[in-house]
Amino acid sequence: MHIVLDDTAMAAAGQGNVLASRLIHRAHVESSWFLYAPACALVEADRARPGTAEHLVSMPGITVLDLDLAAALAVARQETWAAAHSRYVAQPTPDRPDGAIIATTAPHRWAGEPVRVLDLTP
Protein backbone atom coordinates (compact mmCIF):
# COMPACT_ATOMS: atom_id res chain seq x y z
CA MET A 1 0.00 0.00 0.00
CA HIS A 2 1.47 3.32 -1.11
CA ILE A 3 -0.01 6.47 0.38
CA VAL A 4 0.94 10.11 -0.19
CA LEU A 5 0.18 12.53 2.62
CA ASP A 6 -0.90 15.90 1.26
CA ASP A 7 -0.33 19.07 3.28
CA THR A 8 -3.73 18.82 4.99
CA ALA A 9 -3.08 15.24 6.09
CA MET A 10 0.32 16.22 7.46
CA ALA A 11 -1.15 19.09 9.47
CA ALA A 12 -3.93 16.80 10.71
CA ALA A 13 -1.39 14.22 11.86
CA GLY A 14 0.29 16.91 13.95
CA GLN A 15 -3.06 17.79 15.50
CA GLY A 16 -3.82 14.25 16.61
CA ASN A 17 -6.09 13.11 13.77
CA VAL A 18 -6.84 9.47 14.64
CA LEU A 19 -7.01 8.28 11.04
CA ALA A 20 -3.68 9.90 10.14
CA SER A 21 -2.13 8.40 13.27
CA ARG A 22 -3.35 4.94 12.26
CA LEU A 23 -1.75 5.31 8.83
CA ILE A 24 1.55 6.35 10.38
CA HIS A 25 1.45 3.45 12.83
CA ARG A 26 0.62 0.96 10.09
CA ALA A 27 3.49 2.21 7.89
CA HIS A 28 5.82 1.79 10.85
CA VAL A 29 4.82 -1.79 11.71
CA GLU A 30 3.92 -3.31 8.32
CA SER A 31 6.60 -3.71 5.67
CA SER A 32 4.09 -3.53 2.81
CA TRP A 33 2.78 -0.08 3.79
CA PHE A 34 4.58 3.05 2.61
CA LEU A 35 3.82 6.68 3.49
CA TYR A 36 5.29 9.48 1.43
CA ALA A 37 5.65 13.14 2.34
CA PRO A 38 6.35 15.26 -0.75
CA ALA A 39 8.75 18.06 0.20
CA CYS A 40 6.55 20.85 -1.21
CA ALA A 41 3.53 19.60 0.74
CA LEU A 42 5.68 19.28 3.87
CA VAL A 43 6.70 22.94 3.58
CA GLU A 44 3.07 24.03 3.18
CA ALA A 45 1.97 21.89 6.15
CA ASP A 46 4.70 23.48 8.28
CA ARG A 47 3.57 26.95 7.24
CA ALA A 48 0.01 26.10 8.30
CA ARG A 49 1.12 24.46 11.54
CA PRO A 50 4.72 25.27 12.60
CA GLY A 51 6.62 22.23 13.85
CA THR A 52 4.81 19.79 11.57
CA ALA A 53 7.86 19.17 9.36
CA GLU A 54 10.17 18.28 12.25
CA HIS A 55 7.50 16.08 13.79
CA LEU A 56 6.82 14.09 10.61
CA VAL A 57 10.39 13.63 9.43
CA SER A 58 11.31 12.13 12.79
CA MET A 59 8.88 9.25 12.25
CA PRO A 60 10.45 6.07 10.85
CA GLY A 61 7.42 5.10 8.72
CA ILE A 62 7.44 8.26 6.58
CA THR A 63 9.63 8.82 3.53
CA VAL A 64 10.22 12.42 2.49
CA LEU A 65 10.41 12.78 -1.28
CA ASP A 66 12.61 15.53 -2.65
CA LEU A 67 11.77 17.76 -5.56
CA ASP A 68 13.79 16.21 -8.38
CA LEU A 69 13.97 17.67 -11.89
CA ALA A 70 10.91 15.80 -13.21
CA ALA A 71 8.88 16.84 -10.16
CA ALA A 72 10.07 20.45 -10.43
CA LEU A 73 8.93 20.61 -14.07
CA ALA A 74 5.52 19.16 -13.15
CA VAL A 75 5.15 21.53 -10.18
CA ALA A 76 6.16 24.58 -12.20
CA ARG A 77 3.10 24.16 -14.42
CA GLN A 78 0.62 24.08 -11.55
CA GLU A 79 -1.02 26.69 -9.34
CA THR A 80 0.04 25.33 -5.94
CA TRP A 81 3.27 23.50 -5.31
CA ALA A 82 1.95 21.38 -2.42
CA ALA A 83 -0.94 19.87 -4.39
CA ALA A 84 1.13 19.57 -7.58
CA HIS A 85 3.96 17.70 -5.84
CA SER A 86 1.47 15.40 -4.07
CA ARG A 87 -0.26 14.61 -7.36
CA TYR A 88 3.08 14.02 -9.09
CA VAL A 89 4.18 11.57 -6.38
CA ALA A 90 0.86 9.69 -6.61
CA GLN A 91 1.33 8.94 -10.33
CA PRO A 92 2.31 5.41 -11.37
CA THR A 93 6.04 4.59 -11.46
CA PRO A 94 7.98 1.37 -12.08
CA ASP A 95 8.10 0.86 -8.28
CA ARG A 96 4.39 1.71 -7.90
CA PRO A 97 2.66 0.58 -11.11
CA ASP A 98 -0.78 1.37 -9.65
CA GLY A 99 0.37 4.72 -8.32
CA ALA A 100 -0.37 5.84 -4.78
CA ILE A 101 -3.41 7.02 -2.87
CA ILE A 102 -3.51 10.61 -1.62
CA ALA A 103 -4.52 10.91 2.03
CA THR A 104 -6.20 14.23 2.75
CA THR A 105 -8.61 16.07 5.02
CA ALA A 106 -9.76 18.14 2.02
CA PRO A 107 -11.06 15.57 -0.48
CA HIS A 108 -12.91 18.28 -2.43
CA ARG A 109 -9.50 19.65 -3.45
CA TRP A 110 -8.90 16.49 -5.49
CA ALA A 111 -12.27 16.41 -7.29
CA GLY A 112 -11.71 15.93 -11.00
CA GLU A 113 -8.03 15.03 -10.56
CA PRO A 114 -6.71 11.68 -11.86
CA VAL A 115 -5.84 10.38 -8.38
CA ARG A 116 -7.33 8.04 -5.79
CA VAL A 117 -8.19 9.73 -2.49
CA LEU A 118 -8.36 8.53 1.10
CA ASP A 119 -10.49 10.91 3.19
CA LEU A 120 -9.02 11.41 6.67
CA THR A 121 -11.84 13.63 7.85
CA PRO A 122 -12.90 12.31 11.27
Side-chain angles (χ1 to χ4, degrees):
M1 179 69 61
H2 297 274
I3 300 174
V4 176
L5 299 171
D6 77 355
D7 56 307
T8 67
M10 292 181 206
Q15 294 173 322
N17 179 294
V18 173
L19 298 173
S21 295
R22 285 181 186 163
L23 283 178
I24 292 166
H25 174 73
R26 200 136 192 208
H28 178 67
V29 299
E30 293 190 32
S31 62
S32 62
W33 280 67
F34 302 92
L35 280 184
Y36 303 103
C40 293
L42 188 61
V43 168
E44 195 60 36
D46 199 69
R47 284 182 181 162
R49 187 172 189 282
T52 298
E54 290 86 1
H55 177 71
L56 287 174
V57 300
S58 69
M59 296 181 181
I62 297 178
T63 302
V64 176
L65 298 176
D66 295 331
L67 191 65
D68 61 14
L69 177 58
L73 294 173
V75 165
R77 295 184 200 107
Q78 302 300 318
E79 192 171 316
T80 66
W81 286 26
H85 198 191
S86 297
R87 184 178 53 226
Y88 174 80
V89 170
Q91 298 306 307
T93 66
D95 294 340
R96 298 183 306 272
D98 294 328
I101 299 167
I102 295 181
T104 184
T105 60
H108 61 279
R109 172 194 285 181
W110 300 102
E113 295 290 335
V115 296
R116 295 174 292 159
V117 174
L118 175 61
D119 186 355
L120 298 182
T121 305

